[in-house]
Amino acid sequence: MISPGLCALQSSTVPMKTFFIFSLLLLPLLASCAEQKQVYIVYFGEHSGEKALHEIEDTHHSYLLSVKETAEEARASLLYSYKHSINGFAAVLTQDEASQLSELEEVVSVWASHPKKYSMHTTRSWKFVGIMEEEERHWTSNKMGGDFLSKARFGKDIIVGVLDSGVWPESKSFSDEGMGPIPKSWKGICQSGPGFNSSHCNRKLIGARYYLKGFEHNYGPLNASEDYQSPRDMDGHGTHTSSTVAGRLVPNASAIGGFAHGTASGGAPLAHLAIYKVCWAIPGQSKADGNTCFEEDMFAAIDDAIGDGVDVLSISIGTSQPVNYTSDGISLGALHATKKNIVVACSAGNSGPAPATLSNPAPWVITVGASSLDRAFVSPVVLGNGIRLKGETVTPSKLEENNMYPLVYAADVINTGVPKDMAGQCLPGSLSPEKVKGKIVLCMRGSGMRVGKGMEVKRAGGVGFILGNSAANGIEIACDAHVLPATSVLHKDANRILEYINSTKHPIATIIPARTVLHTKPAPFMASFSSRGPNVIDPNILKPDITAPGLNILAAWSEADPPSKLNGIDHRVAQYNIYSGTSMSCPHVAAAAALLKAIHPSWSSAAIRSALMTTAEIRNNLDMPLNDESGNAATPFAYGSGHFRPTKAADPGLVYDASYRDYLLYMCSIGGFKDVDPKFKCPRSPPTATNLNYPSIAISKLNRAITIKRTVTNVGAGKSIYFFTSKPPLGISVKASPSMLFFDHVGQKKSFTITVKARKEMLSEHDKDEHVFGWYTWTDGLHTVRSPIAVSLA
């Protein structure tokens, strides 16, 4: 069988002479590349609305018949026919067959599906952002948070669709007690399968589907011991995200060990949930390594969600590498959702803090970064010399009280043959039981899973372990439910522990059991894992859009997966679990969007995104600028417009609106593909990408000056006057014309231009690859409508 990588050489940038010689040597093998079959998505754009569903599928079959030898082969090759809003199909094709279809005039794009292209981006939150009152088990309407929830009717009648790994329906978070009737607009189904039937759906979980044709084409039949062939969640991730967005109020909830004890709730507790299971366990791999989500399966799920009648989509899934809009199933699916005025929130990814790593950068989705709460699970380390160092954990296991234990560094107690660069990381099989038994082991982050390091220490007979951050993790500590007593410490404190170990012949230590501490400062700060801008697909769109809590979040969990996700090793069962990732921050913003949609049902998805962005906070609870993981001031490439404040977003004053047509014009401006909608043709001179009516401004390679147009819509007081102010990026001037906007009724639109100009000294002295940041605002004394600015020079 030919390697896909070898076949890929045909289209790679190999020098011509080298490739010619290589081709002569391997001509028979390269010729067979054309016969290799894989899943391709053939995309026609938007449906014209003229055909019935069965006619659409027949049309898709006719295209396959044009490249297949028989009707039977054509039908057997079809995995999905996308029929609701998205017009296209997923089929098993050879490279030549895909190429033939791509040359047809009506085909917008054709691209291959890849198994590792997408993966999941893997309580206190709602009090921290001001929605839920500080008093447990009680929401009131005499404060801003309670008033906001009352106006939103707790999300009543709003339907949120969640693409993820399924749901654990028995969780109390999905009870329908006291819920209203299922909205008449709902057209979805409750799909049955092993461990899941129609009785598991109720007035909270109103629909559930699963999609695995793409998965099974690549991996073969699903192993029933690794996942359910139904909407039931055997992973935990989907249950966690679903309950975060719309879980019910559950008193006395906590993680194993009683951590984060209190009332668990989703942001929109009376909203309805529709579950679309698209992510599956990778055969033969630990769930702690993550699941896989196939593009053709997700495309089908989004198409169904649009047809089912969801109002909001929460998608905590993304690519490991940036992908062009036309080869990104989530991006294209979300564009079709936008036409139906569905708000789509997507996670930015967990590839930070390196720059230019974010996924889901399309301007029609809300791209969400991750930041911290004001809560810590404090578990100090006490060394034999009396030094006490701060640690954090949610591990329920405890060492014997008042006992000290021998302390060793992992690199000093390894088996022979372990590479030096991996020596201190407690990777599987690396530790010597003879040297570890009965001791606490200091392990460093780097390669391998955090929970896996604890398993290795336990295998080798250790009584506990200390997990040291790498320098890149900064002040962020991700807490895990380890399988033995453990705590995590900052990089500088890990170095202090190592210095102590090297300073004495008999180092000893103990780990103090953890306790939950609230109102920690500073908070929020950006999580190191949160993927960063700039947006490499289009640098003229500033991404991410916003940040929300994503570090150490408590939410419901699947009882089929232990809290560590180490199946077969960890036998603990958890109803609620603490988890981290932009996967956790995304449903926070989806919940806020659901509440805003309930308050303002006539607002567009763009208006809801604008309200969230322009009211976001860029200062922490010390009234200082938001920090990154290193304690330095963060930038909009980390937090976008800032940390979301849903209660402020309900009354933003002004919004930057945009329509489906505006996005089509934007796609015309960036070029590179055919018309997406058969009823729309790109004009000869479309507006520039920088003039998309976005609530932020990004200017890539500024050459002296540029003038940008924006339009705001008044959603505040009928009569109002807004004044322009700015904090320009260093060495840049920012001016608006006009600098005052007069409104005399709600819904009135006003346009203005912003001229961004580089000062002469900046053009000659500034690093061309460096970005500078600032913002501009419109204010009427009551509302502050703030937009971030990012500029790089030519």
Side-chain angles (χ1 to χ4, degrees), residues 40-56:
Y40 286 84
I41 296 172
V42 181
Y43 176 59
F44 298 93
E46 180 74 22
H47 278 295
S48 61
E50 298 169 356
K51 294 182 179 180
L53 296 183
H54 71 277
E55 292 176 313
I56 294 169

Side-chain angles (χ1 to χ4, degrees), residues 133 138-151 154:
E133 294 307 320
H138 186 58
W139 276 316
T140 63
S141 59
N142 62 349
K143 294 183 180 180
M144 185 177 290
D147 189 46
F148 172 65
L149 273 173
S150 297
K151 285 181 180 178
F154 301 88

Side-chain angles (χ1 to χ4, degrees), residues 538 540 661-671 680-693 709-710:
D538 181 7
N540 295 305
R661 184 177 184 277
D662 291 327
Y663 297 130
L664 295 182
L665 286 169
Y666 164 78
M667 293 177 78
C668 295
S669 72
I670 61 175
F680 176 86
K681 297 297 179 184
C682 288
R684 288 186 178 181
S685 300
T688 61
T690 53
N691 282 330
L692 177 66
N693 201 38
K709 181 182 177 181
R710 290 289 187 268

Side-chain angles (χ1 to χ4, degrees), residues 3 91 107 110 181 215 261 380 489 593 609 713 779:
S3 162
V107 173
V110 176
F215 172 89
H261 180 271
V489 298
R609 179 184 59 234
T713 304
T779 182

Side-chain angles (χ1 to χ4, degrees), residues 529-708:
F529 57 74
S530 188
S531 292
R532 306 306 209 255
N535 176 356
V536 298
I537 303 303
D538 181 7
N540 295 305
I541 299 295
L542 177 54
K543 289 283 181 171
D545 293 311
I546 204 163
T547 186
L551 181 64
N552 300 328
I553 304 301
L554 177 75
W557 196 249
S558 167
E559 294 184 31
D561 199 21
S564 67
K565 304 190 78 171
L566 295 171
N567 290 82
I569 302 171
D570 183 359
H571 301 290
R572 297 171 297 175
V573 175
Q575 294 180 342
Y576 289 84
N577 197 20
I578 290 170
Y579 214 39
S580 298
T582 54
S583 281
M584 285 62 253
S585 56
C586 172
H588 279 83
V589 172
L595 296 173
L596 290 177
K597 205 167 184 69
I599 296 173
H600 302 289
S602 65
W603 279 12
S604 69
S605 59
I608 288 173
R609 179 184 59 234
S610 173
L612 288 166
M613 289 174 64
T614 60
T615 58
E617 179 60 77
I618 58 171
R619 302 185 77 80
N620 60 28
N621 57 5
L622 291 174
D623 197 30
M624 298 291 289
L626 291 180
N627 288 345
D628 65 15
E629 70 288 340
S630 300
N632 301 318
T635 75
F637 284 165
Y639 58 67
S641 294
H643 196 270
F644 86 140
R645 294 191 297 175
T647 57
K648 291 287 187 181
D651 181 22
L654 304 174
V655 294
Y656 293 84
D657 210 350
S659 65
Y660 171 70
R661 184 177 184 277
D662 291 327
Y663 297 130
L664 295 182
L665 286 169
Y666 164 78
M667 293 177 78
C668 295
S669 72
I670 61 175
F673 48 84
K674 303 173 186 177
D675 295 330
V676 170
D677 193 318
K679 297 178 181 178
F680 176 86
K681 297 297 179 184
C682 288
R684 288 186 178 181
S685 300
T688 61
T690 53
N691 282 330
L692 177 66
N693 201 38
Y694 213 69
S696 59
I697 289 178
I699 302 168
S700 176
K701 299 181 180 178
L702 175 65
N703 186 2
R704 297 191 177 181
I706 187 173
T707 298
I708 296 169

